[in-house]
Amino acid sequence: MSMHTLWRRRLAGAVASVALLTGAAGAETVLIHAGTLLAVPGQKPLSQQTLVVTDGKVSAVKAGFLDAASAGAPANARTIDLKNAFVLPGLIDCHVHITGELGPRSQLAEVEDDPEETVLDGVVYANRTLMAGFTTVRDLGSPARTGFALRDAINKGEVEGPTILAAGMMISITAGHGDVNGFSEEVTHALRPESICNGADDCRRAVREQIRKGADVIKLATTGGVLSNIAAGTGQQMFEDEAKAIIDTAHMMGKKVASHAHAAGGINLALRSGVDSVEHGSYLDQDSIKLLKEKGAYLVPTLLAGYTVVNMAKNSTTLTPAQAAKALDVGERMKASFGNAIKNGVKVAFGTDSGVSAHGTNAYEFKLMVDAGMPAAEAIKAATVNAADLLDRSSRIGTLEAGKDADIIAVAKSPIEDVTELSRVQFVMRRGTVHKQDGAAVTFVPKM
């Protein structure tokens, strides 16, 4: 018998043992007693509620702490006691880079690390993200097909992590934010992705390439970026016919579009062209505010990314001189633009740009949002109801209502009163599977 076969048989035995304890796979009913339940962020929390979870879905929400008989559940239904906790929907981060993390060897990793290593890094980062209470993320840029591979493994139950909607590679122009830079010409040509395009026709091709590979969403860069290792700045870097070709092609093929955009010119270009979300929005002007509201597009602020790169520029040598100069300017501008956006009623969806910041620290974004003037209740809504709407997943996630995925988290105290509670998540359930309870990870058994 091969070692591989022996491993699979032992794992199958472990799965069978778990099934005996919890009931047949996919058929378990769980009663969650919630001391305080924020079933629909934006509405008033309820006291002493029971969530009935069946086959990975919320099948009912009932008042009181009910037993199986009174809840209409099977007699062997399991009960999870969260009577002293504040329970709410799993959090959603609309902007992560799940297979990488910025650090001193980031540039070297581009030429030294194989895709297999990148995927394994992603497994670690996905676990940290899930344990932080984020049950769904939108991955807006991973090399090759690494983000797709990780997404698919999680969906199959082979790897522990949040539900991932993946963009693949960012669509960018030559010398733009998504192009390869900082290497010799020979290495640059070898690393340059097929998502680089020039002219409307070529940009249509680039979109179709990402969709062919499995993209759930398309990301483009209409401006420069902080982490481009060139001093070209963060201004507009794409022409209108290119941006419109990308967005129209994606929409034609049923995909939403997110635009990396710092300077107002690139923000407004993306909005005029029909983009669904503006990522960063560091230099929003009054035209940007008007267009965001007129088009119904979302702002995904990523304040944590700005906070992180400012600290790196001041306290480390991780960033190159060109990157550091941009970081010091953009980080401060982000906060001011976000404050102006919320004062003017712009729609906001939660996003961190984690991968720039450390994975698993996503919830620090809430504090930064509140510090910039957003009420805690609205920040939570941005990471649940609003984020689900942006991702076209409102029928499945964002609230805890009958028929929706059992993506559920809990904290000790009300995050509406102290939003930093969301950095101390004690319970995590994703699609009916408990991954963390009483602040500790629960043993994960992959599906066979």
Side-chain angles (χ1 to χ4, degrees):
M1 182 186 298
S2 70
M3 287 299 295
H4 179 69
T5 301
L6 180 61
W7 178 84
R8 289 185 66 84
R9 287 188 179 180
R10 286 178 176 173
L11 189 53
V15 172
S17 297
V18 171
L20 286 172
L21 291 171
T22 63
E28 182 189 27
T29 295
V30 178
L31 306 179
I32 299 177
H33 290 167
T36 304
L37 175 65
L38 183 63
V40 181
Q43 297 183 11
K44 185 179 178 180
L46 303 172
S47 298
Q48 298 187 3
Q49 301 288 303
T50 298
L51 287 162
V52 184
V53 175
T54 307
D55 296 343
K57 299 277 188 181
V58 175
S59 54
V61 182
K62 300 190 176 185
F65 297 142
L66 306 181
D67 57 22
S70 55
N76 64 345
R78 188 160 58 99
T79 299
I80 295 176
D81 183 0
L82 297 176
K83 292 176 184 174
N84 295 319
F86 188 104
V87 179
L88 66 158
L91 303 172
I92 305 166
D93 191 331
C94 294
H95 192 136
V96 305
H97 299 279
I98 200 67
T99 62
E101 195 169 276
L102 183 61
R105 69 174 299 273
S106 292
Q107 186 173 16
L108 196 58
E110 292 188 58
V111 292
E112 286 192 344
D113 291 359
D114 292 320
E116 294 83 356
E117 294 175 82
T118 305
V119 172
L120 290 174
D121 287 342
V123 170
V124 174
Y125 300 143
N127 178 268
R128 290 177 187 170
T129 302
L130 181 63
M131 293 304 167
F134 289 82
T135 52
T136 301
V137 299
R138 187 174 61 161
D139 179 34
L140 288 185
S142 291
R145 291 192 72 258
T146 56
F148 302 145
L150 181 59
R151 171 199 65 193
D152 296 345
I154 291 170
N155 285 342
K156 292 174 185 175
E158 298 169 346
V159 171
E160 193 171 35
T163 302
I164 295 174
L165 280 75
M169 297 293 287
M170 177 169 64
I171 312 295
S172 176
I173 48 89
T174 297
H177 180 51
D179 200 2
V180 178
N181 49 64
F183 299 101
S184 70
E185 278 299 294
E186 185 176 0
V187 172
T188 295
H189 285 291
L191 292 179
R192 175 168 285 156
E194 59 193 8
S195 57
I196 299 302
C197 64
N198 298 285
D201 286 342
D202 193 31
C203 287
R204 292 187 186 96
R205 172 205 57 79
V207 173
R208 290 165 178 155
E209 289 284 1
Q210 293 309 303
I211 293 174
R212 177 187 64 79
K213 288 182 176 182
D216 300 301
V217 59
I218 294 298
K219 182 187 180 187
L220 76 157
T222 53
T223 74
V226 171
L227 297 181
S228 304
N229 190 24
I230 53 176
T234 54
Q236 181 176 333
Q237 291 186 347
M238 188 173 280
F239 288 109
E240 190 145 354
D241 64 333
E242 294 169 321
K244 196 166 190 317
I246 292 166
I247 294 166
D248 286 352
T249 303
H251 285 169
M252 180 184 292
M253 300 183 80
K255 308 298 179 183
K256 282 197 167 184
V257 186
S259 180
H260 160 101
H262 285 293
I267 293 169
N268 299 345
L269 164 66
L271 289 166
R272 288 194 305 270
S273 301
V275 80
D276 299 289
S277 67
V278 169
E279 313 298 308
H280 315 306
S282 306
Y283 300 86
L284 293 174
D285 62 14
Q286 285 310 113
D287 286 339
S288 309
I289 300 290
K290 181 181 177 182
L291 283 165
L292 278 161
K293 296 176 72 174
E294 179 183 300
K295 300 288 187 178
Y298 276 95
L299 172 65
V300 180
T302 69
L303 302 179
L304 182 54
Y307 174 85
T308 300
V309 295
V310 166
N311 284 340
M312 285 183 173
K314 291 179 177 179
N315 303 311
S316 78
T317 58
T318 297
L319 304 183
T320 67
Q323 292 170 332
K326 289 181 283 186
L328 291 170
D329 186 34
V330 166
E332 292 304 314
R333 298 283 191 133
M334 273 185 173
K335 291 186 289 186
S337 286
F338 176 67
N340 189 32
I342 59 176
K343 285 177 185 175
N344 284 279
V346 167
K347 294 198 302 185
V348 174
F350 183 98
T352 61
D353 210 359
S354 289
V356 174
S357 53
H359 294 286
T361 66
N362 311 55
Y364 196 74
E365 180 84 13
F366 288 110
K367 181 181 185 304
L368 297 173
M369 294 168 81
V370 170
D371 288 349
M374 176 173 267
E378 288 299 308
I380 295 167
K381 185 179 177 183
T384 50
V385 175
N386 292 4
D389 180 50
L390 172 58
L391 303 187
D392 271 344
R393 292 294 188 275
S394 295
S395 64
R396 295 193 61 170
I397 58 176
T399 64
L400 297 176
E401 298 174 284
K404 296 199 176 183
D405 290 351
D407 289 358
I408 303 167
I409 67 168
V411 292
K413 301 175 184 177
S414 170
I416 297 173
E417 296 177 7
D418 178 4
V419 80
T420 66
E421 276 296 310
L422 293 172
S423 295
R424 298 180 287 277
V425 170
Q426 297 185 342
F427 174 87
V428 177
M429 172 184 278
R430 175 184 168 271
R431 296 186 178 179
T433 297
V434 176
H435 294 273
K436 187 177 187 180
Q437 193 163 0
D438 299 325
V442 175
T443 300
F444 174 69
V445 180
K447 289 183 181 178
M448 299 301 295

